[in-house]
Amino acid sequence: MKNLIMATIVVMLMAACKNKKQGNKEQNLVDADSSAAAKLEEVFADSTYQLTGVAVSTDGRVFTNYPYWLDSHSYSVVEIKNGKPVPYPDNNWNSFKKGQNGLNKFVCVQSVVTDQKGFLWVVDAAGIGLGSVYQQSNKVVKISLANNKIERIYRFPKDVAGPDVYLNDIRIDNTNGFAYLSSSSNGGIIILNITTGESRFVLGDHISVKSDSAYHFSPGGSELLKGDGSSLKVNSDGIALTPDNRWLYYKPLTDDKLYRISTLLLRDFSTPLHAIADSVMDLGHFITTDGMIFDKAGNLYLGDLEKSSIVKITPDLKMHTLVTDETKLLWPDSYSISPDGYLYISTSQIQLMPWFHKGEDKIQRPFKIYRFKI
């Protein structure tokens, strides 16, 4: 069996080397007129707190989360009921205050994802204000939607998700028993065995998880700068699993490159780190995006942060612009696809935060979640 796995790895490495071709936007772009413009429907609005994630369950329940980024913060994870946010799974998990123990409370939740087995997965980066991990309380929380109870809490050793690792997004492969997370701070991918709880950090120094320093990330038409005047650079962020769970797609946030890697290599924790690095496939230039998600047909959906658009990349790597709205799509952030075929989109307005405007809050409240039929 070991020889078979290594032989498979060699074949994949050879295939990867043959396929390291870089396309460009012009080659990949399909005229927006080739797709009818989608109609955005408002699902939820919050006038107070900044949301980032969205997750829709198999029975249509809708969840969102609120990271602890700004001083104004209350609950972290909610279920949307009759248009109102209800702390989920209960008030205690959403009661964290600075100075308290955050091991069994939500500290700074970055994303929420549902799976096909009836669970909600919560990524708690625990990096208040995008700072260092608060008291080693970063974690992934698995919640049963059948009884609204905590099923399991996954924690990480320091060499996997230490104080400078900001856990960002997660994708679940229940067929093989693994989850994949991105680190958006220094860049990297975390593989989590959801049966044993064992985890591994890979690609930490690889070019594919680092934002291109030469790219000028410009939502709204001008380069987004931090308070010190330097360019905003966010590393590996959005990730997505193909419907067959064979490939993990991922990319840095603040440039337009897209990459993929075989999950067969990632699931075998004995695969050498250099073999993983050598197997990365560079798919070329597309758009900047935060989150991304595959549908069952293998189409990849992303949000063009610089053009306030939602884009679909078909399996032949052609881009189709589905909708553009500079008023509504203010930093399309995270995505979820409902059983009845709607793409749900959270809008977090990150480019309007005081971090990038010398302390001035330019956010256009309320924060909203939209959807459209795909």
Side-chain angles (χ1 to χ4, degrees), residues 69 110 123 125 130 164-169 181-190 201 209-211 232-239 251-254 290:
W69 285 347
Q110 178 63 31
V123 178
L130 292 179
D164 296 323
V165 169
Y166 190 89
L167 301 175
N168 195 289
D169 208 350
L181 297 99
S182 56
S183 168
S184 59
S185 45
N186 297 323
I189 302 295
I190 294 168
F201 184 83
V209 300
K210 303 291 187 181
S211 181
L232 177 68
K233 298 297 178 186
V234 181
N235 295 310
S236 47
D237 192 295
I239 53 174
K251 69 183 306 302
L253 188 151
T254 51
D290 197 320

Side-chain angles (χ1 to χ4, degrees), residues 228-261:
D228 60 5
S230 62
S231 301
L232 177 68
K233 298 297 178 186
V234 181
N235 295 310
S236 47
D237 192 295
I239 53 174
L241 271 174
T242 52
D244 58 9
N245 296 314
R246 291 181 59 198
W247 298 96
L248 181 72
Y249 282 60
Y250 65 97
K251 69 183 306 302
L253 188 151
T254 51
D255 71 32
D256 61 0
K257 296 297 294 297
L258 179 65
Y259 304 88
R260 77 173 188 175
I261 189 168

Side-chain angles (χ1 to χ4, degrees), residues 81-122:
K81 293 185 176 181
N82 300 316
K84 304 294 182 182
V86 178
Y88 188 84
D90 54 38
N91 287 318
N92 182 62
W93 266 91
N94 286 276
S95 65
F96 172 79
K97 304 295 181 186
K98 289 181 182 178
Q100 295 180 347
N101 187 314
L103 289 178
N104 294 302
K105 292 183 178 182
F106 297 133
V107 177
C108 180
V109 172
Q110 178 63 31
S111 58
V112 287
V113 171
T114 52
D115 67 17
Q116 296 301 309
K117 287 195 170 184
F119 295 98
L120 178 73
W121 297 77
V122 179

Side-chain angles (χ1 to χ4, degrees), residues 109-315:
V109 172
Q110 178 63 31
S111 58
V112 287
V113 171
T114 52
D115 67 17
Q116 296 301 309
K117 287 195 170 184
F119 295 98
L120 178 73
W121 297 77
V122 179
V123 178
D124 186 359
I128 300 173
L130 292 179
S132 299
V133 174
Y134 177 85
Q135 296 182 4
Q136 301 179 33
S137 55
N138 52 351
K139 52 192 172 289
V140 169
V141 181
K142 179 183 180 183
I143 306 173
S144 170
L145 296 177
N147 58 22
N148 303 316
K149 302 294 184 182
I150 304 298
E151 180 83 6
R152 185 167 182 177
I153 302 173
Y154 297 91
R155 308 188 193 276
F156 303 93
K158 289 184 179 180
D159 62 344
V160 172
D164 296 323
V165 169
Y166 190 89
L167 301 175
N168 195 289
D169 208 350
I170 189 170
R171 290 295 179 264
I172 311 300
D173 171 10
N174 280 310
T175 300
N176 296 294
F178 285 83
Y180 306 91
L181 297 99
S182 56
S183 168
S184 59
S185 45
N186 297 323
I189 302 295
I190 294 168
I191 309 117
L192 172 64
N193 184 317
I194 58 177
T195 301
T196 67
E198 184 184 6
S199 56
R200 188 187 193 194
F201 184 83
V202 300
L203 298 173
D205 296 319
H206 197 266
I207 188 174
S208 65
V209 300
K210 303 291 187 181
S211 181
D212 183 354
S213 59
Y215 192 94
H216 300 286
F217 175 57
S218 306
S222 58
E223 186 171 10
L224 199 59
L225 305 177
K226 297 186 292 184
D228 60 5
S230 62
S231 301
L232 177 68
K233 298 297 178 186
V234 181
N235 295 310
S236 47
D237 192 295
I239 53 174
L241 271 174
T242 52
D244 58 9
N245 296 314
R246 291 181 59 198
W247 298 96
L248 181 72
Y249 282 60
Y250 65 97
K251 69 183 306 302
L253 188 151
T254 51
D255 71 32
D256 61 0
K257 296 297 294 297
L258 179 65
Y259 304 88
R260 77 173 188 175
I261 189 168
S262 166
T263 56
L264 178 63
L265 300 178
L266 299 181
R267 295 196 306 266
D268 182 359
F269 281 19
S270 67
T271 304
L273 292 176
H274 68 83
I276 292 175
D278 290 344
S279 71
V280 171
M281 298 178 66
D282 182 343
L283 300 179
H285 296 270
F286 291 88
I287 60 170
T288 62
T289 191
D290 197 320
M292 54 187 183
I293 191 171
F294 275 102
D295 65 15
K296 293 180 180 179
N299 299 303
L300 181 63
Y301 297 86
L302 313 88
D304 190 334
L305 300 175
E306 296 177 296
K307 294 184 178 179
S308 298
S309 301
I310 303 299
V311 168
K312 176 176 71 175
I313 300 177
T314 48

